[in-house]
Amino acid sequence: MEVLTNGFLLGATYALLAMGLTLQYGVARIMNLANGEMLVAGAFAAFWAFTANQISPFYAVLFVVPLAFIFNWLVYRYLLTPLVRRAKSQGQLEVDTILATFGMSFALVGIMLMLFGGEFFTYSYLAEPFEIFGSPYGLNRVVACLASVFICGLLFWAIYTTRIGMAMRALTSNPDAASLVAIDVPRMSALAFSLGGAVSAVGGIMLSTFLTLDASIGVVFTMKALIIVIMGGVGDIRGAIIAAMVLGIAETLVASLIDPGLTLAAAYLLFILVLLFKPEGLFGRKAI
Amino acid sequence: MRFSDYCSLTLVIGLFILAALLPLIPDSDYLMSLALPIAMYTVLATSWALFSGPTHYISLATGAFYGVGAYVVGTGIEFIPYPVLLLIAGFSGIVLAGLVGIATLRLSGVYFVIFTLGLAELIRQLVTWIQNNFTGSRGLYVLTDITENYIYWQLIALTALVFLVGWLIKRSRLGFALRIIGNDELVAGHCGINSAGCKVILFMVSGCFAAVVGAVMAPRFTYIEPSMAFSPELSFQVVIMALLGGVHRLWGPLVGVIPFTLLWEVIASSFPTQTVLLLGVSFLLIVYFIPDGVVGRLEDLVKSMRLARPGSNRG
Amino acid sequence: MRFSGLRAVDCLSFNVRENEVVGLIGPNGSGKTTTMNLISGVFKPTHGDIVLGDRLISDWSTREVARAGVARTFQLVRILPTLSVVENVMAGAVFGSKRLWGRELNRYAIRLLEKVGLGEMINVPTASLTYINEKRLELARALASDPRLLLLDEWLAGLNPTELQIGIDLIKTLRDEGRTIILVEHVMDAIRSLCDTCVVMNTGSKIAEGSPQQALSHPEVIKAYLGEDHA
């Protein structure tokens, strides 16, 4: 039971990361390998706000979201659009964006190393026990989980009820057809990419309240988010949320039964299972 | 073979002999400190391009294979003769590449990239876990009487081998199959080609070389630690160099390795704290401005010059 | 050979005898190309069997089907642009049921190019071939594996009248050699002069079968092509 609850608490934050990546990969069709660095940048911002200015991480969201949004918009506009234009085929674009975002991830790690150094950073926020079903859990974890659930809900609502959300869903299923029904594909992609980056940064803030991070850990979270998105089925938000829970619980299981240092192994194990048995995602149908 | 083939063969062999004679120059320590990484990255980048060039699958796992190779030597050096360890390292590379390949290479390239992206980190975690729980110590000492020069000669031999293997593959059915796959995978299937199988075999070749390089380099470290052996930067540098040179020719990566290693020597000594940032930036510059590599650029240039000259004979 | 009970293509069943040319015709969207894709292993049938000789090939991959001796051309031509003209043909003769290599392969490929009328084009860059020559090249590649069954998916479509006659004559020589061919075609003249049997499809199922004469005059067929009034 404790494992399940802990897994759920972790999974909710992972769902947030996966949503960020889904927006970037599912809608904007950019396989962003620098996604994890965005997350670490958000976490850094929260860390800085808390330790230097005593600002609660949840207020930090207020300035991190617009900043991350603008930053990602600039990245999309000036670094990725040229690649989209240059690409002769979808495959070419995939290779180019993978390489470009891989380069960006290193550049971002470099910038963060320069600004903050290579040490682990952590701060203590709401580190007091909170009781659920008679067992104590970190209050910071519970609050981060609730905040993540709230943000996921907000996104879910936006994507399934608003016009922009509908345009994004159209883009996910077929970009060519979307442009035929007067959806401004480049702008919508830019919007999805920027929004995705902002969501990832917020995910970083949530994680920073209870995890110890360092400048070069981004790649681990990129991996986890990617695995969740693939497990859930690319572009499938409900699938991603369930996959995030599965990963959260699997990681907590491995951490409590074997070793906390093996969480990535848990993610890989799930990944291999998905690749071997259901590469189209948990709820996906086989694409022909 | 035609006469020109014999000429280039002689030239290549001559260059290899020259490269092999380098350590015999007196007071060549500084020269060796440059030549050794150049030789190492040549093997890594060429074997990387052997797989990623024709298939367009980007492997970010060179560091993982390299680390596995280094660890094989580190673990076994006290009980097993060194040459046998090199074979075991190569074999481990083949097995690891085979497993990764079978899981991912049936599917689209994205799955493969993602899998290789975290592979080094995954193996690092596993090795650390095993060491913490079963062997008790974090690091491994590799104490041998293998000198720097000896390591260099091994790397030169490996370079020769990787070129030979690459040349043989290009002339084989496998090489022909890969060119067809690179053009149109559906047609390849209809011609009776097993695309996934070809890719897996090639990835195994590439992984084998990277693992052996790691094994060859292990004595140079004297002390091996997971975070050092499985560094993500190695995978990254290999990709940069191969792309800088160009992946469509066997000797393309070499053209990238030499200038980049020299440049890197300067950067690493002048800006030791900002290497990661500069690495990322130089990578972006390459992806944006010379996507086909230096060799691709040169070939375009040559082609346009030929077209510009009237009456030139092409085709 | 027997193909029966397909589902995306619904309720389709027909036989192809050895040395027979079967025409598969029907209005756009009737499932002809899907049928070709099912036979060649691009899609797997959800129901029903596809039998080649005495072997059930329903679940086989494109590679396995190709190795068993089925070759095809594509509705939208798929040549291999970075390979030379000769190499394009070689592609068909190296990995399939034929496994040639070296000088013999080269001679074989050139012979096939001459056969389809590309003898002059051996040294021309692949990317600069005209449409009909691309089609010829694709046919040569398909023939290179010496297939037991050849699938031609609208191979004659888009050719001008002169080219069309050349194309029809070319397929005729293949028929006279005793090749087994399934032909998806819209050109009725070609069907009449080339096919032994004709299978007419509409909305995924077979509506008529027989000699071209019989099949094309079947009332269901006229209805499918021209509408209710003409039946």
Side-chain angles (χ1 to χ4, degrees), chain C residues 50-64:
Chain C
I50 304 172
V51 179
L52 178 73
D54 48 9
R55 284 188 289 180
L56 184 70
I57 62 166
S58 316
D59 290 331
W60 289 14
S61 66
T62 52
R63 171 179 63 99
E64 291 163 320

Side-chain angles (χ1 to χ4, degrees), chain B residues 40 44 61-71 210-211 213-215 217 221 229 234:
Chain B
M40 176 184 103
L44 291 176
T62 313
F65 293 110
Y66 180 91
V68 166
Y71 257 87
V213 171
M217 292 297 284
F221 293 139
L234 181 86

Side-chain angles (χ1 to χ4, degrees), chain A residues 106, chain B residues 40-41 44 60-67 210 213-214 228-241 279:
Chain A
F106 265 75
Chain B
M40 176 184 103
Y41 281 117
L44 291 176
L60 305 176
T62 313
F65 293 110
Y66 180 91
V213 171
M228 215 166 71
F230 296 101
S231 101
E233 275 165 46
L234 181 86
S235 314
F236 192 62
Q237 274 171 317
V238 168
V239 179
I240 292 188
M241 293 181 197
L279 205 56

Side-chain angles (χ1 to χ4, degrees), chain B residues 174-219:
Chain B
L174 177 62
F176 189 45
L178 285 165
R179 288 176 61 205
I180 298 169
I181 295 168
N183 265 278
D184 190 329
E185 202 159 339
L186 181 66
V187 170
H190 283 293
C191 290
I193 294 169
N194 181 353
S195 309
C198 289
K199 290 174 196 161
V200 174
I201 290 175
L202 215 59
F203 190 51
M204 278 158 52
V205 170
S206 173
C208 175
F209 272 106
V212 175
V213 171
V216 167
M217 292 297 284

